[in-house]
């Protein structure tokens, strides 16, 4: 007779191939496992509900999603783009650099790569392709690539998920993502500049210096959001979950009262979109909580740790192997699934190797974000392809240089832990 765990895995894979949500597939597979093992079938929903209701941290996710959706329906994205254009549009490949900088700024507000690509992406792609300055495929590729910064610069929804499974401080994880996010932005900006020199991309219109104070002033209310959010967390005034609520309230207040750019219908659309996104994440988290119970019952993490220990890889070899594994999985799995299913299995081995869990969290999240732009699954490729109506093959051909830039940044993040942990240690982290 086939082992119940094997049958559960076969069912999960089969349902996923047939188009079912990975969360639903995990719940179904877990139920089959529990029934075949002779456990009470009510154990699965009990485990699921306890995991959801006992995690105050999870409340941050719908609130960050709502903040991003409100910013997308308002005029915050337009003002941030104009500010970025004034800063870097004058350089070679100017609108490409605007793309990088605007994603860097927006990432300090949304915490979501998808929100970045959908919100800022629609506007910047239109700017880049107007008058044929850049090909639609290149505009789509760089927009998808820069959107990966979103969950690295705090706040970060994927880091909230990692904090849940690894039992780590969200505040320290947020701090650990700041320098790596800036490094990723620099790497993509440098790659865009090099491509612009080779292909002769133009500079953008030069914004007169006298206009810069006015543009900055109009953008300041939007730019203050990450300052308020992070300042509240690191001053100890707010928890990360409370800061997510403040972020949503501030985005609404600025959009409605200051910029007056959100109608009742748009607010309803933002709330509906947030509810759908939250439900999707909730199903994924619920599936992961249930399936992780199954994994724990089967001692899979300990088996994985023992298996890796046989190879005597050493710290560098182990980190290299983990990166290759996560990059490969990113080609076929959604980032949330990697963080909620695969990463908990690896954590015992990571701890056995003496690798700091905050450092590993940044490595895991960066790998998960790279998965969003690597074929064939790359969700961000599909999003920007839908915006530009370009064949996926053309976008993939243009995105390889940016994947290379991000992999080089990942190498620094992986093998120079002091770079990642510098800010957390300044804030009192003892790891």
């Amino acid at each position: 007779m086939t082992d119940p765990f094997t049958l559960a895995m076969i069912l999960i894979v089969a349902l996923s191939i047939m188009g079912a949500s990975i969360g639903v597939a995990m719940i179904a597979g877990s139920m089959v496992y529990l029934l075949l093992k002779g456990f009470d079938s009510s154990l699965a929903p009990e485990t699921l509900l306890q995991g959801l209701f006992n995690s105050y941290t999870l409340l941050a996710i719908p609130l960050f999603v709502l903040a991003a959706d409100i910013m997308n329906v308002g005029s915050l994205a337009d003002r941030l783009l104009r500010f970025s254009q004034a800063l870097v549009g004058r350089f070679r490949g100017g609108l490409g650099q605007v793309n990088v900088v605007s994603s860097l700024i927006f990432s300090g507000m949304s915490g979501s790569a998808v929100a970045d690509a959908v919100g800022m992406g629609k506007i910047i792609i239109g700017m880049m392709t107007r008058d044929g300055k850049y090909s639609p495929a290149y505009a789509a590729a760089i927009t998808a690539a820069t959107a990966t910064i979103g969950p690295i610069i705090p706040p970060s929804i994927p880091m909230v998920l990692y904090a849940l499974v690894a039992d780590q401080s969200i505040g320290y994880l947020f701090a650990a993502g700041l320098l790596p996010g800036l490094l990723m932005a620099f790497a993509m900006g440098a790659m865009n500049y090099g491509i612009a020199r080779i292909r002769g991309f133009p500079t953008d219109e030069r914004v007169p210096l006298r206009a810069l104070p006015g543009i900055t002033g109009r953008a300041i209310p939007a730019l203050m959001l990450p300052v308020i959010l992070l300042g509240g967390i690191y001053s100890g005034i707010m928890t990360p979950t409370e800061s997510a609520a403040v972020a949503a309230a501030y985005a609404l207040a600025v959009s409605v009262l200051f910029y007056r750019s959100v109608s009742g219908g748009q607010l309803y659309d933002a709330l509906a979109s947030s509810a759908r996104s939250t439900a999707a994440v909730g199903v994924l988290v619920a599936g992961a909580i249930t399936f992780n119970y199954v994994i724990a019952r089967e001692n899979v993490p300990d088996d994985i740790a023992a298996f890796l220990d046989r190879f005597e890889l050493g710290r560098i070899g182990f980190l290299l192997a983990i990166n290759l594994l996560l990059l490969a999985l990113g080609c076929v799995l959604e980032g949330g699934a990697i963080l909620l299913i695969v990463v908990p299995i690896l954590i015992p081995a990571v701890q056995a190797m003496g690798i700091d869990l905050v450092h590993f969290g940044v490595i895991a999240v960066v790998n998960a974000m790279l998965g969003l732009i690597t074929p064939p699954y790359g969700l961000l490729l599909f999003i920007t392809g839908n915006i530009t109506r370009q064949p996926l093959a053309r976008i993939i051909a243009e995105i390889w240089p940016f994947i290379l830039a991000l992999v080089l940044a990942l190498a620094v993040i992986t093998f120079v832990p002091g770079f990642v942990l510098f800010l957390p240690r300044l804030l009192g982290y003892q790891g």
Side-chain angles (χ1 to χ4, degrees), residues 2-80:
T2 306
D3 176 66
F5 183 71
T6 304
L7 282 176
M9 291 299 300
I10 291 172
L11 180 60
I12 291 170
V13 172
L15 288 174
S16 300
I17 291 173
M18 288 189 288
S21 156
I22 184 67
V24 171
M26 285 189 292
I27 293 172
S30 301
M31 288 290 291
V32 167
Y33 172 86
L34 293 173
L35 288 171
L36 292 176
K37 279 285 191 177
F39 293 109
D40 187 340
S41 60
S42 65
L43 187 60
E46 181 186 348
T47 303
L48 186 158
L49 292 174
Q50 283 182 352
L52 289 176
F53 293 147
N54 291 338
S55 180
Y56 176 65
T57 299
L58 284 176
L59 282 175
I61 294 175
L63 294 167
F64 281 134
V65 170
L66 177 59
D69 284 334
I70 290 172
M71 287 185 286
N72 281 339
V73 299
S75 65
L76 275 76
D78 298 285
R79 295 172 193 274
L80 291 174

Side-chain angles (χ1 to χ4, degrees), residues 61-374:
I61 294 175
L63 294 167
F64 281 134
V65 170
L66 177 59
D69 284 334
I70 290 172
M71 287 185 286
N72 281 339
V73 299
S75 65
L76 275 76
D78 298 285
R79 295 172 193 274
L80 291 174
L81 271 174
R82 184 61 180 158
F83 175 71
S84 301
Q85 193 174 13
L87 285 180
V88 297
R90 66 190 68 235
F91 300 115
R92 175 69 68 179
L95 285 177
Q97 307 296 9
V98 170
N99 200 320
V100 175
V101 172
S102 60
S103 288
L104 185 63
I105 296 172
F106 194 74
S107 67
M109 305 175 191
S110 71
S112 165
V114 172
D116 194 343
V118 172
M120 302 290 273
K122 290 179 181 177
I123 305 170
I124 189 64
I125 286 174
M127 292 170 60
M128 292 182 72
T129 55
R130 192 178 303 133
D131 302 324
K133 293 178 181 177
Y134 299 80
S135 71
Y138 184 82
I142 191 172
T143 300
T146 58
T148 61
I149 305 172
I152 311 303
I153 296 283
S156 167
I157 292 172
M159 285 191 182
V160 173
L161 295 177
Y162 176 81
L164 173 69
V165 299
D167 193 26
Q168 295 296 301
S169 161
I170 296 177
Y172 289 141
L173 283 165
F174 280 4
L178 186 56
L179 292 180
L182 292 172
L183 176 64
M184 291 165 66
F186 175 80
M188 285 186 284
M191 183 59 72
N192 174 69
Y193 181 80
I195 294 172
R197 296 280 296 183
I198 293 170
R199 299 189 188 180
F201 288 156
T203 57
D204 196 25
E205 61 177 294
R206 288 179 177 268
V207 176
L209 290 178
R210 64 179 180 275
L212 193 56
I215 293 171
T216 304
R218 287 188 288 275
I220 278 180
L223 294 170
M224 283 301 295
L225 178 55
V227 175
I228 293 171
L229 195 153
L230 298 178
I233 292 174
Y234 297 123
S235 65
I237 297 173
M238 298 180 286
T239 67
T241 302
E242 290 166 346
S243 74
V246 170
Y250 182 83
L252 180 61
V254 169
S255 298
V256 174
L257 301 178
F258 190 86
Y259 291 139
R260 298 182 181 180
S261 58
V262 176
S263 66
Q266 289 175 317
L267 180 58
Y268 174 81
D269 290 341
L271 291 170
S273 174
S274 299
R276 287 191 294 270
S277 299
T278 300
V281 174
V283 170
L284 178 61
V285 171
I289 289 170
T290 312
F291 187 62
N292 283 340
Y293 175 82
V294 173
I295 287 172
R297 294 285 309 183
E298 289 290 306
N299 292 318
V300 173
D302 293 337
D303 292 342
I304 294 290
F307 174 76
L308 291 173
D309 190 52
R310 282 190 226 135
F311 290 96
E312 299 181 358
L313 293 172
R315 188 187 183 94
I316 292 177
F318 177 80
L319 285 171
L320 183 60
I322 290 294
N323 274 300
L324 291 174
L325 172 64
L326 294 178
L327 285 172
L329 290 173
C331 294
V332 293
L333 282 180
E334 190 264 340
I338 291 173
L339 292 171
L340 291 170
I341 305 169
V342 180
V343 167
I345 297 173
L346 297 175
I347 283 177
V350 170
Q351 291 176 305
M353 292 298 297
I355 296 167
D356 183 86
L357 286 182
V358 169
H359 176 217
F360 178 67
V362 177
I363 295 172
V365 172
V366 172
N367 272 289
M369 293 309 100
L370 270 167
L372 294 176
I373 59 171
T374 50

